[in-house]
């Protein structure tokens, strides 16, 4: 469809000339006017520096705020187009304060003080309006994009609740919503508990089908999202890993490293190629427009004008910041309650995590809600958004704990709001909801063994004193760590989970001035624990003898001073106690090593298994991991940057695992629900039987590559992208 330079389809732009005022528009405008006036009145009553002498002046002030917003929005878009997201933020906030100050200063019936009094009125009014909507049961997120929704209805020329004309009159589009970390069993519980009424309605009406897909090892966000968006996962062996080629740790929540992974994977024909939009994803999917995308953060957060609606709408940004403070306090209370009630397993929920939860579950959620809604109104052919809210809480509280499931309730409301926007958008959007992996519960490796994964490896290598171990800590930096006393692991404050830092890190890195691209992520850790530039003189570089990394309950060990991967026999010859000690550890389920002739063998406490031939000696170490375990471990052990040793934690009869990092809810390896990802798709978009594989008796798509191919096929079926020639080279076979 032809499009103008603002991203809106030409037919949609043409409808702007024939806007119709509906009863729904009048009701919406009246409700907005009344709620704004009431909020301002209560706020003025609270703030001593501002007074009102005539109640009708409040209505006039609310009207002035609305008119000022409408008149300034085009100007702010122009400013943001030239100055980027920072310009959108600064100009939007200044505009809100200026309009409110002018209204309270020059309109009759007011006596105002300083601009700080006006700012206080804005903050208090935003809080009171949010509380008011909560009391009457209105959607707080609908308030965030209420004017966008009304604009979409006017453009479509339909009243509230009605469809936007015949389906044939609108071209097709696809909205792909990633619910980060949501396992299929977890979603089933949420549906039964009434926490996902939007998705339950779709299933009840028969418009959508719910199925499961298998997230292969490594079941991590970077592996799954690069597979879903670009069709290949061969360059991602974990969440973080040691690269012999680069001589350093690669951590995918660093924009520079995410960009490297995407450059190695992308062929230009990703899921979002051809005019698509990526919102808050780790990789771009070759989208034409990237908003808050990690791999493109060095280029900025995206076109500044796309953020104007959120930053410049009266009370929206202020409300988000204030409500985020409430979310922070709620997290502190819930974490304290876990400790008081003696809930086990648990980890500390202090440190940076409460701040991160507030940002992801309020500010980022509202921002994503706005950005996606605006792209739907503009008519983008395909939009993909990653919502990390649930994943972040579940890592620290537990996948099925009440606060985690409540996060799913909020995400369901957001999806329902996008459904309303899609109903009156210039395209006929189908909505696909899927997850990148699940999560599994369990005490950490450190809680089980009394020492960290790194310290256990050091002990077994008989490094006394330990001088040159390196690990990737929870904040993604390579460093050395001291072993805590037994049981201390649960009480220690943990850093924010690396994966959930994604969107927040995207913003921070993009806003950081003067960061040279060539230096991003180019640091090494030597035996003296000092950091050096990777382009320093070779004589100064000292690689660590061992690098130890945990990605959930998937652990990897490298010996970086060796130019190639060591075989199991070589590891035994140099450190005789290491392999037997790891196998005997109660928190370890499987240790995978490679032989000199390409053999791949998995060892457990009761026996071993050749993963290529299937030969078992003693007890099968994979018996408790399901039918996909052997294929998944062979594949991950064969990836270019996989560890010299690959470990998966033990799993008990109810699916409890042990993360090699400080998280009570984890994913990355095998065991529990972490590999059972969600795929909720429109009923008319079929999944052919010949694409399914049997996993423990259930047919499902296996691997993110398979889901990518199915999503691309649906785009082709919908006419959103042209068919791929039969003789075109294959992508991401998943072998």
């Amino acid at each position: 469809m032809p499009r103008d330079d603002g991203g809106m389809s030409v037919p949609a732009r043409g409808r702007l000339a024939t806007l119709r005022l509906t009863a729904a528009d009048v009701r919406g405008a009246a409700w907005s006017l009344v709620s704004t006036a009431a909020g301002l009145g209560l706020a003025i009553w609270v703030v001593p520096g501002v007074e009102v002498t005539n109640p009708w002046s409040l209505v006039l002030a609310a009207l002035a705020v609305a008119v000022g917003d409408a008149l300034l929005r085009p100007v702010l878009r122009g400013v943001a187009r030239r100055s980027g997201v920072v310009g959108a933020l600064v100009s939007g906030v200044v505009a809100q304060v200026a309009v409110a100050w002018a209204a309270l200063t020059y309109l009759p019936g007011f006596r105002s003080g300083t601009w700080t009094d006006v700012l206080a009125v804005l903050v208090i009014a935003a809080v009171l309006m949010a509380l008011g909507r909560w009391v009457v049961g209105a959607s707080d997120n609908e308030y965030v994009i209420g004017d966008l929704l009304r604009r979409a209805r006017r453009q479509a020329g339909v009243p509230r609740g009605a469809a936007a004309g015949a389906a044939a009159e609108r071209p097709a589009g696809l909205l792909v919503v990633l619910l980060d970390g949501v396992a299929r069993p977890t979603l089933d519980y949420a549906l039964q508990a009434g926490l996902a009424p939007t998705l339950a309605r779709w299933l009840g009406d028969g418009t959508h089908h719910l199925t499961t897909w298998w997230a292969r090892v490594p079941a991590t966000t970077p592996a799954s999202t690069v597979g879903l968006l670009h069709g290949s996962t061969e360059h991602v062996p974990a969440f973080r890993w040691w690269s012999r080629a680069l001589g350093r740790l690669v951590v995918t929540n660093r924009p520079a490293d995410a960009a490297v992974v995407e450059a190695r994977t992308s062929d230009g024909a990703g899921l979002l190629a051809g005019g698509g939009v990526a919102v808050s994803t780790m990789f771009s999917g070759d989208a034409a427009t990237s908003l808050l995308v990690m791999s493109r953060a060095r280029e900025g957060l995206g076109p500044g004008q796309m953020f104007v609606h959120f930053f410049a709408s009266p009370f929206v940004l202020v409300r988000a910041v204030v409500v985020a403070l409430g979310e922070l306090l709620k997290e502190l209370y819930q974490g304290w309650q876990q400790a008081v009630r003696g809930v086990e397993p648990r980890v500390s929920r202090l440190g940076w995590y409460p701040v991160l939860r507030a940002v992801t579950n309020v500010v980022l959620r509202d921002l994503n809600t706005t950005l996606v809604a605006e792209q739907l109104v503009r008519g983008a052919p395909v939009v993909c958004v990653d919502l990390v809210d649930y994943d972040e809480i579940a890592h620290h509280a537990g996948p099925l704990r009440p606060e985690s499931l409540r996060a799913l309730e909020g995400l369901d409301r957001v999806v329902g709001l996008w459904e309303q926007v899609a109903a009156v958008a210039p395209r006929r959007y189908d909505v696909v909801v899927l997850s990148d992996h699940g999560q599994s519960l369990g005490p950490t490796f450190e809680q089980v063994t009394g020492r960290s994964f790194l310290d256990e490896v050091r002990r077994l290598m008989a490094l006394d004193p330990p001088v040159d171990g390196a690990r990737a800590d929870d904040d993604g930096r390579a460093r050395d760590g001291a072993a805590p006393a037994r049981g201390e692991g649960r009480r220690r404050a943990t850093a924010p989970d690396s994966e959930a830092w994604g969107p927040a890190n995207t913003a921070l890195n993009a806003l950081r001035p003067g960061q040279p691209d060539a230096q991003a992520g180019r640091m090494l850790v030597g035996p003296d624990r000092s950091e050096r530039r990777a382009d320093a003189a070779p004589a100064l570089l000292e690689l660590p003898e061992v690098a130890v990394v945990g990605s959930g309950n998937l652990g990897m060990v490298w010996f970086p001073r060796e130019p190639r991967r060591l075989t199991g026999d070589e590891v035994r010859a140099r450190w005789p106690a290491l392999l037997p000690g790891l196998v005997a550890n109660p928190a370890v389920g499987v240790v995978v090593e490679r032989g000199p002739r390409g053999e791949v063998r998995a060892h457990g406490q009761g026996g071993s298994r050749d993963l290529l031939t299937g030969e078992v000696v003693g007890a099968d170490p994979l018996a408790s991991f399901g039918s996909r375990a052997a294929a998944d471990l062979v594949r991950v052990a064969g990836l270019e940057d996989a560890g010299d040793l690959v470990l998966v934690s033990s799993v008990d009869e109810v699916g409890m695992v042990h993360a090699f990092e400080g998280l009570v809810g984890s994913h990355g390896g095998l065991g529990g629900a972490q590999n059972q990802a969600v795929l909720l798709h429109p009923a008319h978009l079929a999944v052919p039987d010949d694409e399914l594989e049997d996993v423990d008796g259930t047919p499902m798509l296996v691997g993110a590559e398979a889901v990518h191919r199915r999503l691309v096929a649906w785009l082709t079926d919908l006419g959103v992208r042209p068919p791929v020639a039969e003789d075109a080279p294959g992508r991401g076979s998943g072998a």
Side-chain angles (χ1 to χ4, degrees):
M1 173 179 291
R3 304 169 64 83
D4 67 7
D5 57 3
M8 183 179 294
S9 62
V10 172
R13 182 179 59 177
R15 282 196 296 268
L16 291 175
T18 58
L19 299 181
R20 289 197 306 147
L21 188 65
T22 67
D25 292 328
V26 174
R27 287 195 301 271
W31 167 247
S32 178
L33 191 66
V34 170
S35 61
T36 302
L40 287 173
L42 290 172
I44 290 172
W45 180 69
V46 171
V47 177
V50 182
E51 297 179 4
V52 59
T53 59
N54 185 348
W56 287 105
S57 297
L58 293 172
V59 178
L60 188 60
L63 183 61
V65 168
V67 171
D69 172 57
L71 294 177
L72 287 176
R73 190 70 61 84
V75 176
L76 295 177
R77 288 188 183 276
V79 172
R81 185 176 290 109
R82 292 187 295 271
S83 57
V85 177
V86 175
L89 169 62
V90 173
S91 62
V93 172
V94 170
Q96 290 187 51
V97 175
V99 169
W101 177 82
L104 299 181
T105 300
Y106 295 108
L107 290 178
F110 291 103
R111 287 196 294 270
S112 63
T114 65
W115 68 269
T116 56
D117 294 327
V118 174
L119 183 60
V121 168
L122 281 176
V123 172
I124 295 173
V127 175
L128 294 174
M129 291 167 68
L131 289 174
R133 296 189 67 84
W134 176 75
V135 168
V136 301
S139 168
D140 204 31
N141 294 100
E142 184 171 348
Y143 164 72
V144 171
I145 66 164
D147 60 330
L148 257 180
L149 192 53
R150 288 190 293 272
R151 189 182 92 195
R153 293 193 185 106
R154 288 196 302 270
Q155 291 175 5
V158 295
R160 183 187 183 96
E169 296 177 1
R170 295 186 295 162
L174 189 68
L175 171 61
V176 180
V177 181
L178 286 171
L179 302 181
D180 203 303
V182 179
R184 169 65 191 275
T186 300
L187 182 58
D188 288 342
Y189 296 146
L191 289 167
Q192 295 172 36
L195 298 177
T198 299
L199 304 186
R201 171 168 50 80
W202 293 357
L203 295 171
D205 293 344
T207 62
H208 284 68
H209 291 165
L210 177 60
T211 186
T212 306
W213 71 274
W214 183 261
R216 298 185 302 182
V217 179
T220 63
T221 294
S224 288
T225 53
V226 78
L228 292 169
L229 292 172
H230 290 281
S232 174
T233 62
E234 63 180 303
H235 300 300
V236 185
F239 184 82
R240 47 183 93 78
W241 62 89
W242 185 272
S243 169
R244 280 188 166 90
L246 298 176
R248 63 176 176 87
L249 282 165
V250 174
V251 186
T252 49
N253 72 342
R254 293 172 176 165
D257 286 349
V260 168
V261 171
E262 180 170 323
R264 296 182 67 187
T265 305
S266 172
D267 63 358
L271 180 67
L272 305 179
V277 179
V279 180
S280 287
T281 54
M282 184 166 280
F283 305 100
S284 73
D286 298 316
T289 301
S290 296
L291 306 170
L292 300 174
V293 173
M294 178 66 67
S295 63
R296 297 190 177 179
R298 292 179 299 171
E299 304 169 10
L301 302 182
Q305 64 270 24
M306 301 294 184
F307 294 81
V308 166
H309 182 276
F310 182 79
F311 292 140
S313 294
F315 311 116
V316 170
L317 176 60
V318 175
R319 168 213 159 275
V321 173
V322 173
V323 176
L325 294 176
E327 186 79 3
L328 186 151
L329 295 175
K330 182 168 69 173
E331 165 54 34
L332 294 175
Y333 172 77
Q334 291 172 340
W336 173 72
Q337 279 287 292
Q338 266 197 351
V340 167
R341 300 199 316 267
V343 174
E344 294 289 351
R346 72 177 188 273
V347 294
S348 172
R349 294 166 62 172
L350 298 175
W352 277 103
Y353 165 62
V355 177
L356 183 60
R357 172 176 169 177
V359 172
T360 58
N361 282 16
V362 179
V363 179
L364 187 62
R365 180 190 293 182
D366 284 358
L367 182 55
N368 285 336
T369 301
T370 301
L371 293 173
V372 171
E374 183 142 357
Q375 294 308 314
L376 298 180
V377 172
R378 289 172 174 270
V382 54
V383 180
C384 180
V385 58
D386 189 359
L387 301 175
V388 302
D389 312 38
Y390 166 84
D391 189 68
E392 175 56 37
I393 296 178
H395 273 309
H396 295 83
L400 293 177
R401 301 282 163 76
E403 50 265 52
S404 303
L405 294 177
R406 284 294 179 184
L408 279 180
E409 185 177 35
L411 296 181
D412 182 85
R413 286 197 298 268
V414 172
V415 173
L417 186 56
W418 288 333
E419 179 189 25
Q420 294 181 47
V421 178
V424 291
R427 285 182 179 269
R428 185 185 71 255
Y429 284 100
D430 283 299
V431 183
V432 173
V433 178
L434 71 159
S435 60
D436 51 353
H437 50 72
Q439 278 203 33
S440 300
L441 180 70
T444 68
F445 178 96
E446 189 169 338
Q447 290 169 351
V448 172
T449 65
R451 61 179 66 89
S452 70
F453 184 26
L454 169 65
D455 291 324
E456 177 69 355
V457 171
R458 280 172 158 175
R459 183 182 71 85
L460 295 172
M461 292 175 68
L463 295 178
D464 189 17
V467 294
D468 53 4
R471 72 174 176 183
D473 202 4
D474 290 310
D475 63 356
R477 294 186 62 203
R479 69 169 182 86
D480 282 289
R486 180 174 296 274
E488 186 183 347
R490 187 186 67 215
R491 297 189 297 272
R492 279 175 33 180
T494 58
D497 169 52
S498 300
E499 296 197 21
W501 266 108
N505 261 2
T506 304
L508 292 174
N509 279 280
L511 294 175
R512 186 180 299 158
Q515 179 183 0
D517 290 351
Q519 297 182 24
R522 299 283 295 167
M523 307 301 289
L524 298 176
V525 177
D528 60 353
R529 269 74 80 188
S530 62
E531 292 189 342
R532 299 180 178 87
R533 283 274 306 280
D535 55 359
L540 298 178
L541 293 179
E542 297 181 62
L543 298 177
E545 182 173 18
V546 62
V548 179
V549 160
S551 297
N553 79 319
L554 174 69
M556 292 193 180
V557 180
W558 294 261
F559 304 101
R561 293 177 183 172
E562 301 301 324
R564 58 168 178 80
R565 185 180 305 176
L566 294 183
T567 66
D569 290 342
E570 290 171 325
V571 172
R572 290 185 188 88
R574 300 188 189 193
W575 304 283
L578 180 57
L579 266 169
L582 290 174
V583 170
N585 192 296
V588 175
V590 179
V591 180
V592 178
E593 50 140 332
R594 295 182 68 87
R597 292 176 296 278
E599 308 96 323
V600 185
R601 197 159 195 88
H603 300 274
Q605 292 189 23
S608 63
R609 173 173 173 168
D610 188 311
L611 298 181
L612 297 179
T613 67
E615 177 188 3
V616 176
V617 177
D620 186 354
L622 302 186
S624 59
F625 291 98
S627 62
R628 282 290 315 176
D632 278 18
L633 291 176
V634 166
R635 176 185 172 277
V636 74
L639 296 178
E640 178 183 356
D641 288 320
D644 298 31
L645 301 178
V646 176
L647 293 80
V648 175
S649 83
S650 57
V651 57
D652 68 11
E653 61 277 4
V654 297
M656 298 267 276
V657 301
H658 309 296
F660 292 101
E661 52 188 340
L663 301 172
V664 71
S666 68
H667 53 86
L670 295 162
Q674 62 184 302
N675 307 100
Q676 302 173 46
V678 170
L679 177 58
L680 181 76
H681 62 91
H684 69 92
L685 298 177
V687 181
D689 291 341
D690 61 2
E691 296 181 11
L692 306 178
E693 298 183 36
D694 182 272
V695 179
D696 298 317
T698 301
M700 63 180 70
L701 294 172
V702 171
E705 297 91 339
V707 182
H708 168 85
R709 291 192 294 270
R710 180 53 13 215
L711 291 170
V712 171
W714 286 339
L715 288 173
T716 302
D717 294 342
L718 293 170
V720 175
R721 65 190 295 170
V724 178
E726 293 185 3
D727 59 348
R731 294 174 49 84
S733 64

